[in-house]
Amino acid sequence: MTVESPIEKAIRPSVGLLGWYSVCASKLLKENELYHLSMFNEPLVIYRDKNNKPRCIKDSCPHRSASFRGGENENGEIVCPYHGGRFTTSCNQDGSDRITCKHIIDSHYDNFANHLHLRQYPCVEQGDYIYIYYTGEAQPSPNDFQIKSHLENSLPEAYGFDLKDYEYEEVFIDFKCDWSRIIENHLDILHIFWLHGNTLPGNDVNRKTIKSFNQSINKDQYHLRSVYHEKENNKEEFISQIFIPPGRVIIFKGATEQARYVQVLDHIPLSHNRARIIVRHYRKFLRNKLLCKLLLFKQRQQKVFYKIFSEDYLVLQTQTFNEQMGYLNQGQTKLLAEDKMINLFWDWHQHSLEKEHPWDIHPTTAHTNTIHQDMLMLYPPANPQLSHDIKRIIDRKVAVRLFSIILIILALIFAPDLVQQIKSGNVSMPMVGTQE
Ligand code: FES
Ligand SMILES: [Fe+2]
């Protein structure tokens, strides 16, 4: 195990567990819908207001604290399911940007309604992501926040990565385990060879090729970064990982400027023992949409992701238990040289927990109703329905493609003249399925 000097440890990212989190793909947040999630046990709702601006509110109505689950988003106005309180955004002359009740029950309450405001967190849209600035204390207006960390530092572009050159596929996964165990998993290069060695396509990463690496670490107030080189070929970067607090990990395969692929992994601490990950896998060749569609590339890749995450799941759940039992203490574990990033992450995480206490802001007990948290578990990796759905889609599409190929071959064999005429444009084909 490599032991860090106290001076090295002193340089740790200054952004702690409270700050900007990517919580949702931008295109998933549709008009007239409500998207529920939670952060550090606090239930939240994200939606688009009447100006199409994303909003993040505390999921508690200011009348009698009903959740907005079962409520509506009508053209950007949010309606409480309990007594029909209707809330709309209003930018005021004093600079506040409130979401105020414009009607409840009948006109007798108009004056009362004016004093009901939803509580919000700053929420922005950038690079096809929705980000929220989470502090644990929602306010009547996003302008009430003093934003201490800057979103720009967590964007892939800040690391020389040009999104325009790449296209991506994406999956969401919900784990019942500690949030920080998942980040640790994504900073662990060696387990990819062993735990996922039989699942990954390609011959260069599997159980037979597992190896140790030379590693260089770079860190500053914004990030922790590790570059791994193969020992025999120290010039070529095998992989580089960047942890950008609080919840983003970016992994480059090969040197960052010419990476074969890039993964952006966002980790959302939903509640105790529950976390969501958004995985984006960027590649250049995905920009060829026709080829990807023909080869069903995105669906196949999603299938691989679900398999990989179900392989991680048992480890992460049992490791969470062991951590809660105190077995993951530094004194009880012996790290390898390649675990240096994990060691730095632990150091950052522990420091932030002690400084910000994010889990104590909305504490739960063994008696707390878990309804919100249970409903949020939409994408468990072990859910057979998810992989079953993808398999069904792939099977159906493969069948359509095979059928089309057979039709073309039959046409070439039995009606070559007709095919020739179609190619030369001398035959007018009837339009199938069109209506006058
Ligand atoms: S609790 Fe929402 S309108 Fe009454
Ligand atoms: Fe993994």
Side-chain angles (χ1 to χ4, degrees):
M1 173 183 164
T2 310
V3 179
E4 253 199 329
S5 73
I7 294 171
E8 274 184 285
K9 276 205 168 174
I11 311 166
R12 64 166 72 85
S14 59
V15 176
L17 282 152
L18 303 177
W20 287 106
Y21 282 85
S22 157
V23 291
C24 168
S26 186
K27 62 187 173 195
L28 273 192
L29 192 63
K30 307 229 162 55
E31 284 176 35
N32 294 325
E33 286 186 6
L34 301 174
Y35 180 88
H36 294 265
L37 83 152
S38 69
M39 295 277 291
F40 295 103
N41 299 325
E42 183 182 19
L44 306 170
V45 182
I46 303 177
Y47 71 100
R48 291 192 185 276
D49 72 8
K50 61 186 181 186
N51 302 315
N52 210 33
K53 182 179 175 344
R55 297 277 176 177
C56 175
I57 58 161
K58 186 182 180 83
D59 189 11
S60 174
C61 176
H63 170 220
R64 287 222 333 262
S65 196
S67 158
F68 287 98
R69 279 190 184 273
E72 280 153 59
N73 174 358
E74 284 181 3
N75 302 319
E77 290 184 352
I78 192 166
V79 183
C80 176
Y82 208 8
H83 311 96
R86 179 177 287 270
F87 297 83
T88 192
T89 48
S90 57
C91 296
N92 302 310
Q93 284 180 340
D94 62 1
S96 65
D97 185 5
R98 295 197 175 133
I99 307 173
T100 305
C101 189
K102 80 170 200 194
H103 184 75
I104 183 168
I105 312 296
D106 64 22
S107 55
H108 288 97
Y109 283 108
D110 282 356
N111 207 21
F112 169 82
N114 276 332
H115 294 91
L116 300 182
H117 309 291
L118 299 183
R119 295 204 160 250
Q120 311 180 58
Y121 288 103
C123 183
V124 299
E125 186 167 15
Q126 192 152 11
D128 203 15
Y129 281 106
I130 305 291
Y131 294 85
I132 65 171
Y133 186 74
Y134 188 77
T135 64
E137 301 271 347
Q139 302 292 337
S141 164
N143 299 338
D144 297 338
F145 287 80
Q146 283 199 325
I147 295 182
K148 293 191 192 118
S149 62
H150 297 287
L151 179 60
E152 293 72 44
N153 299 318
S154 70
L155 300 178
E157 294 93 317
Y159 300 87
F161 172 45
D162 192 349
L163 291 170
K164 289 196 296 298
D165 293 345
Y166 292 77
E167 183 56 58
Y168 66 84
E169 77 266 355
E170 181 174 73
V171 294
F172 284 48
I173 314 279
D174 291 340
F175 284 106
K176 273 193 188 173
C177 68
D178 185 76
W179 170 85
S180 61
R181 296 284 74 72
I182 309 173
I183 297 197
E184 188 186 311
N185 176 277
H186 290 141
L187 298 176
D188 175 356
I189 189 168
L190 296 179
H191 91 287
I192 300 169
F193 288 81
W194 194 258
L195 185 60
H196 307 310
N198 294 333
T199 301
L200 289 168
N203 299 325
D204 56 337
V205 180
N206 56 54
R207 288 189 172 192
K208 290 199 185 88
T209 59
I210 190 166
K211 57 194 149 194
S212 56
F213 288 93
N214 289 332
Q215 183 182 15
S216 52
I217 299 271
N218 172 295
K219 52 186 180 168
D220 61 25
Q221 58 171 318
Y222 304 119
H223 74 275
L224 301 171
R225 181 174 186 157
S226 172
V227 179
Y228 299 89
H229 297 272
E230 294 191 11
K231 286 193 166 149
E232 311 80 62
N233 180 6
N234 202 27
K235 288 206 188 92
E236 241 174 66
E237 282 185 32
F238 179 73
I239 227 167
S240 64
Q241 303 163 322
I242 309 177
F243 170 58
I244 308 155
R248 177 165 275 183
V249 172
I250 306 185
I251 299 174
F252 293 89
K253 178 73 176 76
T256 48
E257 301 76 33
Q258 53 215 269
R260 251 178 57 211
Y261 63 78
V262 181
Q263 279 184 1
V264 179
L265 302 128
D266 283 301
H267 304 76
I268 306 164
L270 299 174
S271 65
H272 281 121
N273 289 327
R274 286 176 177 82
R276 175 165 297 164
I277 323 171
I278 308 174
V279 185
R280 273 196 193 174
H281 202 61
Y282 287 89
R283 299 178 203 230
K284 288 193 175 172
F285 75 80
L286 288 182
R287 295 177 70 204
N288 188 329
K289 296 216 168 21
L290 182 65
L291 187 69
C292 289
K293 275 198 168 161
L294 276 175
L295 296 178
L296 300 174
F297 188 82
K298 291 195 178 187
Q299 289 87 348
R300 286 178 199 279
Q301 186 63 47
Q302 284 175 337
K303 205 172 145 195
V304 172
F305 274 131
Y306 284 126
K307 177 96 192 320
I308 287 174
F309 285 112
S310 60
E311 288 165 354
D312 280 320
Y313 199 26
L314 181 62
V315 173
L316 295 177
Q317 287 184 100
T318 49
Q319 210 190 10
T320 294
F321 174 83
N322 287 352
E323 192 254 328
Q324 289 164 347
M325 298 297 285
Y327 309 155
L328 204 67
N329 289 339
Q330 297 258 12
Q332 298 218 19
T333 48
K334 300 276 177 279
L335 303 187
L336 303 170
E338 287 80 357
D339 293 329
K340 198 171 181 185
M341 275 291 267
I342 291 163
N343 197 18
L344 292 170
F345 169 71
W346 283 355
D347 170 65
W348 167 84
H349 186 237
Q350 193 55 36
H351 180 77
S352 309
L353 282 177
E354 285 164 12
K355 198 169 145 208
E356 299 177 322
H357 303 284
W359 294 104
D360 298 340
I361 303 173
H362 303 276
T364 56
T365 69
H367 305 294
T368 308
N369 188 314
T370 59
I371 179 73
H372 278 293
Q373 318 310 345
D374 295 341
M375 285 195 288
L376 278 176
M377 298 302 288
L378 298 174
Y379 314 102
N383 181 352
Q385 192 60 38
L386 287 174
S387 42
H388 181 75
D389 286 351
I390 289 184
K391 186 175 176 314
R392 233 183 33 220
I393 292 169
I394 293 176
D395 288 350
R396 203 182 57 225
K397 292 192 176 219
V398 167
V400 169
R401 279 156 182 69
L402 279 176
F403 185 65
S404 310
I405 292 168
I406 290 169
L407 270 186
I408 292 168
I409 292 171
L410 287 177
L412 285 170
I413 294 171
F414 295 109
D417 295 346
L418 180 62
V419 172
Q420 195 52 44
Q421 284 174 38
I422 294 170
K423 271 168 78 181
S424 60
N426 291 336
V427 169
S428 60
M429 296 292 289
M431 295 296 282
V432 180
T434 53
Q435 290 179 350
E436 289 297 313

